[in-house]
Amino acid sequence: MKKVFAIILALCMMLTLVACAESGSTDSDVKTYKVGVAIYQFDDNFMTLYRNEIQAYFKTLETDKVKYDVTIVDGKNDMAEQSNQVDNFITQKMDVIILNLVQTSSADALISKVVAANIPLVLINREPLAYDKDGNTIDEAYEGILNNAKVCYVGADARQSGTFQGEIVRDLPTKGDINGDGVISYIMIEGDPENIDAQYRTQFSVKALVDAGLQVECLDDQVGNWAQAKGQELCANALAKFGDKVEVVFCNNDAMALGAAAAIQAAGRTVGTDIYLLGVDALEECVEMVNNGTMTGTVLNDHVGQSHKAVDVAVMLLEGKDIQNYYWVDYVKVVKEG
Ligand code: GAL
């Protein structure tokens, strides 16, 4: 009798354990979202800050009940590579994708794939564009590209950053005309020319000077593809060719301005005295340079604001909330304090 009782007791205990495991295990209460982040190229100073902040910010949003499994991949500035990575994200059934396009001209193809897989999509940093047959951008059409309830773009309006660069020069005591000949002679070091950030910064920095009634002369305009080493090489060449004629060096970003600063120093020129140097991004080292006078100014490209907005919108999409198709984050002028 005792034996039978012991067996029944053991059976009851086992059943209780099974019931517990099925209903209340902490693991089954946790919802883990799979997030795929495709960056155009890891080897980019600004986008490195940006992607690290995406990862860090997702972590801060985790709770006992919600986790984010974030996979970040390097497109290596190769559109075919990035296209494969997006295909893999689709196969892996990501819950949301954050995409920094290698080529904005391929936006349509990539967006279509993701939309067809019914995965929400947040585009960042490189505004998707549509082009006419002559290669000019068509505003109305690219509004159309994003015309989907689960697709949006988070970025900053590059016209603003270019305008701020020009205004920093306009507001200098010399207005950028160091030799007093009535003309601001500048060189332009451009980012990837397919990128609207490069196009707008190139155009609007100069426009701000012209709009202020100032005369400008472009001595040289070359493509540095956002890269420091290229910025240094192009600036060194221009200084060797045009010498003291160069009064202003406009760089579409700070990485290239860092290179240009090295070339300026090597050529025996002094920023603030016989030349001016402008960048965009406000990398930490460039803000220091602005404050110690080795750079004239830069423009904050708010990677914290942009990455947080991108993640917040991704979370809204995961929660099935309504979103806008565009979110804009402001640039901020950075000049010497005081
Ligand atoms: C720009 C940034 C550049 C580079 C580029 C990549 O907004 O200023 O430094 O990161 O994005 O698309």
Side-chain angles (χ1 to χ4, degrees):
M1 188 62 202
K2 248 189 186 170
K3 214 172 172 186
V4 174
F5 183 73
I7 291 171
I8 292 174
L9 194 70
L11 270 174
C12 282
M13 282 169 72
M14 267 170 65
L15 282 174
T16 318
L17 276 175
V18 169
C20 278
E22 273 178 359
S23 71
S25 105
T26 25
D27 271 6
S28 64
D29 278 353
V30 177
K31 171 77 194 161
T32 301
Y33 290 110
K34 291 198 286 181
V35 182
V37 182
I39 299 294
Y40 95 96
Q41 171 166 249
F42 278 7
D43 184 14
D44 176 302
N45 305 25
F46 174 75
M47 285 314 299
T48 299
L49 297 171
Y50 198 132
R51 81 182 136 92
N52 289 341
E53 192 58 36
I54 289 180
Q55 186 127 42
Y57 187 55
F58 263 119
K59 265 265 157 277
T60 68
L61 299 183
E62 287 190 336
T63 63
D64 291 348
K65 304 246 176 290
V66 179
K67 304 281 176 214
Y68 300 100
D69 177 8
V70 181
T71 306
I72 308 190
V73 293
D74 179 4
K76 302 190 181 106
N77 207 19
D78 176 342
M79 198 55 242
E81 170 93 23
Q82 186 171 66
S83 187
N84 284 335
Q85 292 171 338
V86 170
D87 289 342
N88 287 339
F89 281 169
I90 291 171
T91 314
Q92 291 162 32
K93 297 198 180 348
M94 290 297 177
D95 294 304
V96 67
I97 294 176
I98 297 179
L99 175 59
N100 170 211
L101 287 161
V102 169
Q103 279 173 3
T104 44
S105 53
S106 300
D108 222 353
L110 265 75
I111 295 170
S112 304
K113 285 194 215 190
V114 178
V115 167
N118 200 26
I119 299 175
L121 175 64
V122 181
L123 293 138
I124 56 166
N125 172 255
R126 293 184 159 188
E127 191 181 339
L129 301 170
Y131 299 88
D132 65 15
K133 60 175 179 25
D134 302 320
N136 300 313
T137 56
I138 327 171
D139 288 19
E140 319 81 65
Y142 67 80
E143 294 280 336
I145 291 185
L146 296 193
N147 194 9
N148 182 292
K150 288 186 184 171
V151 180
C152 71
Y153 173 70
V154 175
D157 181 352
R159 283 171 284 211
Q160 192 184 35
S161 53
T163 304
F164 284 170
Q165 283 189 308
E167 287 179 358
I168 293 172
V169 174
R170 179 200 67 188
D171 295 342
L172 291 165
T174 59
K175 297 188 189 307
D177 179 17
I178 296 172
N179 58 22
D181 67 351
V183 181
I184 303 162
S185 302
Y186 68 90
I187 64 167
M188 183 68 68
I189 303 182
E190 294 195 31
D192 173 0
E194 203 226 34
N195 188 324
I196 195 72
D197 287 6
Q199 295 167 24
Y200 278 158
R201 288 176 194 166
T202 299
Q203 195 185 333
F204 282 78
S205 50
V206 176
K207 185 176 183 298
L209 296 173
V210 174
D211 286 352
L214 300 165
Q215 297 268 357
V216 294
E217 180 194 16
C218 177
L219 297 171
D220 199 18
D221 186 337
Q222 303 273 345
V223 171
N225 274 326
W226 306 122
Q228 182 167 341
K230 199 70 191 155
Q232 180 164 354
E233 180 194 320
L234 295 175
C235 187
N237 290 347
L239 291 175
K241 192 163 169 199
F242 302 103
D244 290 349
K245 279 204 83 180
V246 183
E247 296 173 304
V248 178
V249 179
F250 281 118
C251 296
N252 282 173
N253 77 343
D254 276 354
M256 296 188 297
L258 281 171
I264 287 171
Q265 203 186 11
R269 305 283 296 270
T270 310
V271 171
T273 305
D274 59 35
I275 198 161
Y276 298 119
L277 174 61
L278 286 301
V280 175
D281 282 339
L283 299 179
E284 212 175 292
E285 53 268 61
C286 291
V287 174
E288 264 171 42
M289 288 167 69
V290 170
N291 284 324
N292 70 28
T294 48
M295 243 177 105
T296 310
T298 182
V299 179
L300 171 71
N301 191 2
D302 183 4
H303 72 271
V304 175
Q306 290 175 68
S307 55
H308 290 199
K309 178 55 80 185
V311 170
D312 286 341
V313 176
V315 170
M316 284 168 74
L317 284 161
L318 290 171
E319 291 170 350
K321 295 191 177 137
D322 288 344
I323 54 143
Q324 296 164 210
N325 287 130
Y326 283 88
Y327 291 90
W328 299 108
V329 175
D330 270 333
Y331 284 102
V332 183
K333 257 183 226 177
V334 180
V335 287
K336 194 171 179 162
E337 285 164 3

